[in-house]
Amino acid sequence: MSGELPPHTVLPGEPRPAEDRRHMIRRRALTLLIIVLLIGVPAGYLVISANQSRASGKDKEAKYSATGLTEGWPSKVQRRLYQVPVPHPAWWVASYETNNWKTSRLYVEFETTDAGLTAFLTSLGVREDDLERDDITIGGRDREVTGWTFDGPGTWSGLVHEQKDPAPTHDVVVNHHKPGYPRVYVVSRTVP
């Protein structure tokens, strides 16, 4: 029985037939694609990740290097920890936080409506009647930190809302210069 092998079968020890051009191009393209996927995709991911990390670091650096009031709402965590429920609507919102081993403070200022002021004071647990006319309850130290001056036009009033530790104490000053749109200044301090 003369067993002939099919023409495409190569016996051990025999030279392989030459690869045709189309097959070679396809094999090289597939090899190149695999190399690009194995190296290019992770490299691209690293570049994107590094840029995002750098941008995040710059944002945090700007936030924590601030030395006074910064425009923008305090974070939800800050509002909850310091119990400063900035009302809606509120605009011209600015805040600043200081921390040390003895006391932590959150300074917040905003402008709101009369209804917003009522909601804010109610959520603190006080009433508008508790505001004392011409009583500037925010002390000199806190004014220096924020740059607040309470000598402008308008009717000024204030209150101190003291709570048992660890709950924060609030010093609140309100300026009624623009009828219907009071400007509120709050210092919330807590002992860690």
Side-chain angles (χ1 to χ4, degrees), residues 83-87 110 115-125 172 184 186:
Q83 298 176 7
V84 179
V86 179
F110 58 89
L117 175 62
T118 301
F120 169 73
L121 294 173
T122 301
S123 60
L124 284 183
V172 179
V184 181
V186 183

Side-chain angles (χ1 to χ4, degrees), residues 45-57:
Y45 174 78
L46 287 174
V47 168
I48 292 169
S49 179
N51 284 336
Q52 289 174 343
S53 178
R54 185 176 306 126
S56 172

Side-chain angles (χ1 to χ4, degrees), residues 7 14 16 26-27 39 54 61 72 77 103 107 109 111 150 155 158 184-185 191:
E14 287 187 22
R16 293 180 72 117
R26 187 180 306 150
R27 183 178 48 80
I39 295 172
R54 185 176 306 126
E61 179 184 359
V77 171
T103 306
Y107 303 89
E109 83 174 88
E111 190 170 296
F150 301 119
T155 304
V184 181
Y185 303 84
V191 178

Side-chain angles (χ1 to χ4, degrees), residues 3-191:
E4 288 189 27
L5 296 173
H8 63 279
T9 304
V10 178
L11 294 174
E14 287 187 22
R16 293 180 72 117
E19 182 177 31
D20 68 338
R21 183 162 175 77
R22 186 183 321 152
H23 187 262
M24 178 188 66
I25 292 172
R26 187 180 306 150
R27 183 178 48 80
R28 287 184 179 173
L30 183 61
T31 303
L32 180 63
L33 176 66
I34 290 171
I35 289 171
V36 167
L37 290 175
L38 289 175
I39 295 172
V41 170
Y45 174 78
L46 287 174
V47 168
I48 292 169
S49 179
N51 284 336
Q52 289 174 343
S53 178
R54 185 176 306 126
S56 172
K58 287 179 182 178
D59 293 344
K60 288 179 183 174
E61 179 184 359
K63 178 180 177 182
Y64 292 113
S65 67
T67 56
L69 288 169
T70 305
E71 185 178 325
W73 287 61
S75 70
K76 288 182 180 182
V77 171
Q78 289 173 319
R79 285 181 275 169
R80 188 183 49 192
L81 287 175
Y82 291 97
Q83 298 176 7
V84 179
V86 179
H88 291 280
W91 49 92
W92 308 113
V93 180
S95 65
Y96 179 56
E97 181 181 19
T98 62
N99 295 299
N100 62 36
W101 63 275
K102 192 175 175 184
T103 306
S104 296
R105 287 180 170 84
L106 178 66
Y107 303 89
V108 181
E109 83 174 88
F110 58 89
E111 190 170 296
T112 187
T113 61
D114 285 337
L117 175 62
T118 301
F120 169 73
L121 294 173
T122 301
S123 60
L124 284 183
V126 296
R127 298 182 334 262
E128 282 189 70
D129 296 343
D130 296 329
L131 288 168
E132 297 285 332
R133 187 179 174 120
D134 297 324
D135 188 11
I136 306 299
T137 56
I138 295 176
R141 179 205 175 279
D142 293 325
R143 289 187 222 175
E144 284 180 26
V145 169
T146 58
W148 288 334
T149 57
F150 301 119
D151 55 5
T155 304
W156 295 88
S157 58
L159 66 84
V160 175
H161 177 239
E162 291 189 38
Q163 300 182 90
K164 187 176 177 183
D165 285 339
T169 295
H170 301 96
D171 298 331
V172 179
V173 172
V174 180
N175 182 354
H176 299 277
H177 175 64
K178 289 167 50 178
Y181 299 99
R183 186 138 189 92
V184 181
Y185 303 84
V186 183
V187 178
S188 177
R189 64 183 178 278
T190 185
V191 178

